[in-house]
Amino acid sequence: MDTDNAAAGRPGAADANPAAEEPTAQERDVVAPEVDVRAEAPAAAREVFGDRFEAAVRYTELLATAGVSRGLIGPREVPRLWDRHVLNCAVLAELLPSGTTLCDVGSGAGLPGIPVALARPDVSVTLLEPLLRRTTFLEEVVRELGLENVTVLRGRAEEMVGKLAVDVVTARAVAPLDRLAGWGMPLLRPHGQMLALKGDSAEQELADSRAGLAKLGAVESSVISVGEGTLETSTRVIQVKAGESPGGVKAATRRAKAARAGRAAGARVTGGDRGRGRGGRRTR
């Protein structure tokens, strides 16, 4: 497990196994510490979430209860959910233009996608997660909070190339940067960007990954901080900007193949409609 995953109390990439649908016996027996989420909310939470503050409180409560009992959040993280998780993710919204479409790859308990969606109702967020027990939790959260700008999608990023295209891909505590970029960059539209939330390893990961990022169509990359002046400790983000062909040649080929398949399917449907008269009977 990488250090970012361990710190976040989330399973690492090695745990991303669709067969591991149910919490372990150890996870089911976990009792989260009792925390008054509303009372613990820092002043910055009202500033960041505005009129969605109450929804942010409820989301944090769900993380502290169902999130722990289902093995999505480590019990030791409960006392620091606001600063280290919810607000740490929400400030990513500073980097998003109005009307952006965003995909949170390996969303887990909804971090960072749900805090971003709460802070920015103008941003359309897709929570992409392969495990059923996590997507079930995400769907329950989205429904309870009434998040009309959020879609939950079960699947792996590799399966979505040619089916899903967004302006921004983001992820937190999912995988090292080089592996994450291989999954996320092909989902970008031309000139989109990947925003990976990282800790102290950000500069080193970026340095180690530059050659691979270039092969994936990246034209610019850097480590930036968000939340300065809002959080006690700002959030470190690796920002990777794509060029005309995000994901490289292989991704472009897969997108073109998917587009051709879509056009062919549409032509078959149209051709079938032309050959039918009223009541769906085929005409001679």
Side-chain angles (χ1 to χ4, degrees), residues 28-248:
R28 287 194 295 268
D29 291 339
V30 164
V31 177
E34 298 241 355
V35 172
D36 186 338
V37 168
R38 181 181 299 278
E40 293 291 325
R46 292 186 180 275
E47 176 185 342
V48 170
F49 293 111
D51 60 4
R52 284 189 162 187
F53 170 72
E54 292 298 331
V57 169
R58 182 56 185 147
Y59 173 56
T60 309
E61 289 174 343
L62 290 169
L63 291 178
T65 53
V68 173
S69 65
R70 298 188 192 186
L72 304 181
I73 291 289
R76 287 179 297 180
E77 298 303 309
V78 172
R80 49 192 182 184
L81 278 174
W82 279 111
D83 289 332
R84 192 164 182 174
H85 298 282
V86 177
L87 285 171
N88 177 271
C89 291
V91 293
L92 189 69
E94 295 177 14
L95 302 176
L96 305 177
S98 178
T100 291
T101 56
L102 176 146
C103 179
D104 177 13
V105 172
S107 188
L111 299 166
I114 289 179
V116 169
L118 286 166
R120 290 286 299 276
D122 63 304
V123 172
S124 297
V125 175
T126 297
L127 306 177
L128 181 60
E129 168 58 48
L131 294 189
L132 177 60
R133 66 176 166 121
R134 296 177 189 170
T135 55
T136 299
F137 173 79
L138 294 173
E139 288 167 350
E140 291 170 0
V141 170
V142 169
R143 186 165 55 249
E144 179 164 342
L145 301 185
L147 296 177
E148 296 182 357
N149 60 325
V150 178
T151 300
V152 178
L153 187 59
R154 186 182 176 200
R156 295 180 178 278
E158 309 95 291
E159 302 165 350
M160 299 299 158
V161 180
K163 303 175 184 177
L164 177 67
V166 294
D167 303 314
V168 177
V169 165
T170 188
R172 178 178 187 253
V174 171
L177 181 63
D178 54 352
R179 200 184 318 160
L180 175 63
W183 298 335
M185 293 287 286
L187 301 180
L188 291 174
R189 293 190 174 115
H191 306 292
Q193 61 176 329
M194 184 177 72
L195 302 173
L197 281 72
K198 292 289 182 179
D200 295 336
S201 65
E203 280 86 0
Q204 188 60 54
E205 281 198 55
L206 180 55
D208 293 342
S209 303
R210 286 193 187 277
L213 291 174
K215 292 179 181 178
L216 290 169
V219 295
E220 185 180 338
S221 56
S222 60
V223 177
I224 55 180
S225 294
V226 291
E228 294 180 342
T230 301
L231 307 179
E232 288 187 14
T233 302
S234 59
T235 300
R236 294 166 63 73
V237 179
I238 297 179
Q239 183 181 50
V240 181
K241 296 183 179 180
E244 287 285 348
S245 184

